[in-house]
Amino acid sequence: PDGLLYLGLGDGGSANDPGGNGQDRSTLLGGILRIDPSPSADAPYTIPADNPFVDGDGRDELWLYGLRNPWRFSFDADTDDVWIGDVGQSAVEEIDRLPFDRAGGTNLGWNAFEGTRRLTDAPAPDAVPPVFEYPHDGRCSVTGGYVYRGDDVADLEGAYVYSDFCDGVVRAIVVEDGAVVQQRAFDVRVPSLVSYGQDADLELYALSLEGTVLRLADG
């Protein structure tokens, strides 16, 4: 939304993040980074001056932290809110939603929390809980998508579309005032649904590891 480059990094691997990278602001792991890709005098990119930790409280590139594996994150084309599908460890998958202008510096809780479930006794100051979570009931790994702002599927307007890699069902939630007010599961299954894409008309595409790209449309 601001012309800068955002990158999502996992916590570095190993179950339950034994290195505590998710809560360690001195590492880039387990965070979303924010940089200006224009080179500076001594580096191949530039640190935005208003990044939240440039005062020495964490890595300069870090925008928010406390993530296990942000797969994937996107910005609402209408409101600029950031939505993150954060893959859980063994029990809970979560979706985070943050207003863009207040997202910088946010702690999303991993590895102290897996969703809203306490996982370790690690301190997690001011951790923000997910807006939505679901258990591993035949599902295993959230695939984050987009808030739908296209024209092809009118009754999806404003809904966040996502899936799970293991069941491949296209799903959507509607959030109002910070709470989920509607959940939907469509009669559409995409095997190995690994990502979503959005085109210039804000229509959505589902990507399968089996080699297909499918466009969401009415009917």
Side-chain angles (χ1 to χ4, degrees):
D2 53 6
L4 297 173
L5 180 63
Y6 292 76
L7 305 90
L9 299 182
D11 66 9
S14 297
N16 301 317
D17 188 18
N21 291 328
Q23 290 300 306
D24 183 0
R25 297 200 301 255
S26 70
T27 178
L28 301 179
L29 296 173
I32 290 180
L33 319 183
R34 178 178 183 253
I35 64 171
D36 181 340
S38 305
S40 62
D42 54 0
Y45 58 86
T46 302
I47 303 294
D50 60 347
N51 270 10
F53 302 116
V54 293
D55 59 1
D57 293 333
R59 288 291 297 269
D60 291 348
E61 297 94 335
L62 204 59
W63 188 52
L64 53 80
Y65 67 105
L67 292 162
R68 181 176 179 271
N69 181 8
W71 193 275
R72 306 274 190 162
F73 72 93
S74 63
F75 298 96
D76 184 335
D78 187 48
T79 68
D80 293 340
D81 291 351
V82 59
W83 290 77
I84 308 165
D86 193 23
V87 178
Q89 179 64 60
S90 59
V92 178
E93 301 299 304
E94 74 174 71
I95 292 172
D96 302 290
R97 175 231 187 189
L98 300 167
F100 179 72
D101 60 355
R102 299 199 299 274
T106 297
N107 178 5
L108 291 171
W110 176 259
N111 70 344
F113 295 91
E114 181 187 18
T116 57
R117 181 179 79 108
R118 234 329 167 165
L119 184 71
T120 71
D121 59 2
D126 302 316
V128 175
V131 72
F132 180 69
E133 63 183 355
Y134 63 87
H136 286 189
D137 52 355
R139 292 178 280 176
C140 70
S141 178
V142 66
T143 298
Y146 290 84
V147 175
Y148 184 75
R149 298 296 182 185
D151 296 320
D152 282 356
V153 192
D155 63 352
L156 263 184
E157 169 64 26
Y160 177 73
V161 180
Y162 73 99
S163 292
D164 188 278
F165 180 77
C166 284
D167 76 354
V169 175
V170 176
R171 304 173 189 268
I173 56 174
V174 176
V175 173
E176 295 179 0
D177 298 323
V180 175
V181 296
Q182 185 182 125
Q183 301 183 42
R184 300 175 64 183
F186 297 92
D187 188 21
V188 177
R189 182 180 179 275
V190 179
S192 302
L193 201 167
V194 71
S195 191
Y196 281 92
Q198 180 178 251
D199 68 17
D201 295 322
L202 306 181
E203 302 301 339
L204 296 189
Y205 299 78
L207 286 69
S208 168
L209 282 184
E210 295 190 357
T212 54
V213 177
L214 305 172
R215 177 170 169 164
L216 275 66
D218 246 337

